[in-house]
Amino acid sequence: MTDFVYRVRPGQLEDSLKIWQIRNSFSSRQNSNKQQEIPYQDHQLWFQKKYFTGEKNKLFVITVNDEVTGYLRFDLDKGAYVVAIALDPRYQGQGLGFALLAEGLKRANLPAPITAQVKRHNPASLKLFQKCGFKIFNEDVDNYYLKLIFSNHE
């Protein structure tokens, strides 16, 4: 990893703009199920409702020199938490994704299984999830589906 001063912390409402910018970057959209750009007003309404109205979803960000450079979401869906992770393209490939996912998993303390979906054309993301203990449980022509289940949920 490059010698960055980074910190993982819970996401805050004021992180919305930077998270929206990262989410709408070309590389993030390429690896997302929804590849179109999202208007900021739509994002802002969704962001506030999803993470700041008492829902059981969790949000973490990673900062480098106090600038948000990535986000990690755990969104509860049908009894499992679905992971979404993205980094500012300037910081990809430098170990920050692993730092964010590993720390987020430790701090989230989630009471349900955790799943992820990775595009087949994104081997770096697949490697990241596997390094953090996720296993492929299904796949199709476009995606790998991974799961991390803690021993008390098995």
Side-chain angles (χ1 to χ4, degrees):
M1 180 186 312
T2 306
D3 291 327
F4 290 122
V5 176
Y6 71 86
R7 180 170 71 110
V8 174
R9 63 167 173 77
Q12 301 167 352
L13 192 55
E14 50 271 10
D15 297 326
S16 179
L17 178 61
K18 187 59 183 173
I19 289 171
W20 172 75
Q21 291 169 337
I22 293 168
R23 174 9 189 127
N24 273 344
S25 72
F26 180 76
S27 64
S28 290
R29 286 186 293 113
Q30 286 283 97
N31 294 310
S32 176
N33 285 329
K34 298 176 183 172
Q35 297 185 345
Q36 71 277 13
E37 288 191 25
I38 296 171
Y40 182 65
Q41 288 180 319
D42 294 352
H43 166 80
Q44 183 67 3
L45 291 170
W46 169 87
F47 185 74
Q48 186 168 355
K49 181 179 185 281
K50 193 85 167 175
Y51 301 104
F52 300 99
T53 58
E55 291 194 29
K56 295 182 180 183
N57 304 310
K58 303 265 185 164
L59 172 68
F60 295 92
V61 296
I62 190 165
T63 62
V64 173
N65 301 325
D66 295 323
E67 176 190 355
V68 173
T69 56
Y71 65 84
L72 172 64
R73 298 177 7 219
F74 296 101
D75 297 341
L76 189 59
D77 183 37
K78 299 175 187 160
Y81 281 91
V82 180
V83 177
I85 186 170
L87 290 175
D88 181 318
R90 298 173 297 161
Y91 293 91
Q92 292 175 356
Q94 299 176 54
L96 293 174
F98 175 75
L100 177 57
L101 183 57
E103 182 67 18
L105 286 167
K106 279 191 243 177
R107 293 176 67 179
N109 194 27
L110 299 173
I114 303 169
T115 65
Q117 180 178 332
V118 175
K119 296 282 184 195
R120 283 185 170 272
H121 67 259
N122 189 358
S125 188
L126 178 62
K127 184 177 175 184
L128 165 67
F129 280 99
Q130 289 175 324
K131 187 174 180 181
C132 287
F134 284 76
K135 305 285 186 222
I136 296 171
F137 72 88
N138 201 0
E139 57 187 272
D140 60 30
V141 71
D142 295 317
N143 301 296
Y144 295 108
Y145 301 91
L146 300 102
K147 188 179 280 190
L148 176 67
I149 302 176
F150 297 106
S151 60
N152 59 336
H153 297 112
E154 295 180 320

